[in-house]
Amino acid sequence: MTGFDETFTDQLDTALDEAADAIENGETVVYPTETVYGLGADATDPDAVERVFETKGRDRTKPLSMGAPTISVAQRYTQPSERALEFMRAFLPGPVTVVVEHDPSLPDLLTAGRDRVGVRIPDHEVALALFERVAPTPVTATSANVSGAPSVTEISELDPDLRASVGAIVDAGPTPGTESTVVDPQRNVIYRRGAMADAIVAWLTDEAGSEPVFEDG
C-alpha cells in the first residue's frame, strides 16, 4: 500500500485479512475511511446487520448504508437510475453516500424496509482493500460509534464496549473526521451536507435544472 512503511503495511495486511475473515464469519469489524472510522459487517446477512444495530445501539428505523469497492460491485445489489449512475461515476470513490434503489436481495433490516439504500465507495485504499477482500459481498457502512456519541476519527476514541464486541479492528491512523454528504441524485435531494457538498450541489443543479432540496434524513 502506498503511503505506509513496509512494517506498517505488513501489519495492515494482517489486520485486513483478520477483518475479512471476521466479516465472512458474520462478525462486525472497525475499519478506516476518508471520513471517519466505520463499523462493518456482511450487509447481506440479516444476523450480521442486527449485530451492527446492537453494537451501536441504533434505532432499527434508521437504515444503514452499504460499502463496495467499485460501482460495478455496488450494482449487484442496487438499481441506480441513469442520472444516479452518472453521479456515482463523477463522485465515487469519494466521501459521498449515494442513495439509490436497492435490489430485493438486501435484507429489510439494512434498509429499514425502504426501497432505497445508501452506497459508499470510500476514497481510502485501506477501506477499499477490505471491501475487495470480501467482494462481491457488500459491507455495512456506518460510523463506528455508539449512536448519539461523536464519530470516531482514531482507534483510541472507540467506545470500550464497542471495541470489545467487534471481531477485528483495522487501525490505519487518524481520519479527517468530515462526514460524507448523503445525496439522492435521482430525487435531487441532499439528506446531509458534508464533504464535497458545494461540488455536489453544483452538479445536481446543472443536471436537474434546479437546486437540490435539503432534507434531514
Side-chain angles (χ1 to χ4, degrees):
M1 295 183 182
T2 60
F4 301 111
D5 64 40
E6 186 174 347
T7 299
F8 193 50
T9 296
D10 290 342
Q11 293 173 344
L12 275 176
D13 283 336
T14 298
L16 285 166
D17 288 341
E18 292 174 351
D21 288 343
I23 290 171
E24 290 169 358
N25 290 327
E27 298 178 88
T28 56
V29 304
V30 174
Y31 63 92
T33 75
E34 82 283 41
T35 56
V36 298
Y37 272 86
L39 184 62
D42 182 345
T44 68
D45 179 351
D47 291 335
V49 173
E50 173 62 25
R51 289 187 187 94
V52 173
F53 278 99
E54 289 178 356
T55 300
K56 285 177 63 72
R58 186 177 176 88
D59 189 329
R60 270 59 169 186
T61 64
K62 296 182 178 180
L64 300 177
S65 297
M66 54 160 264
T70 63
I71 293 172
S72 61
V73 171
Q75 284 183 277
R76 289 172 176 252
Y77 304 94
T78 61
Q79 300 169 354
S81 66
E82 187 56 40
R83 181 191 295 171
L85 195 55
E86 289 176 5
F87 180 91
M88 293 168 80
R89 289 168 178 155
F91 287 94
L92 300 179
V96 185
T97 301
V98 187
V99 179
V100 298
E101 186 175 345
H102 69 77
D103 187 84
S105 62
L106 291 179
D108 284 343
L109 181 61
L110 182 79
T111 64
R114 303 180 188 183
D115 65 352
R116 304 174 96 70
V117 67
V119 174
R120 276 280 276 132
I121 302 177
D123 188 14
H124 193 288
E125 64 176 323
V126 178
L128 293 177
L130 175 60
F131 292 174
E132 287 165 357
R133 276 168 165 79
V134 299
T137 300
V139 178
T140 59
T142 183
S143 53
N145 60 312
V146 175
S147 289
S151 297
V152 171
T153 59
E154 51 188 293
I155 294 301
S156 63
E157 299 170 352
L158 278 176
D159 177 86
D161 291 337
L162 188 150
R163 178 193 287 266
S165 71
V166 301
I169 294 173
V170 181
D171 185 354
T175 61
T178 302
E179 298 281 6
S180 67
T181 292
V182 182
V183 54
D184 186 328
Q186 183 58 36
R187 294 178 174 173
N188 201 29
V189 174
I190 292 178
Y191 293 105
R192 182 176 70 198
R193 178 185 281 270
M196 298 182 69
D198 289 346
I200 289 168
V201 168
W203 191 96
L204 291 173
T205 301
D206 183 60
E207 291 295 318
S210 61
E211 291 189 358
V213 174
F214 287 84
E215 296 182 4
D216 182 0

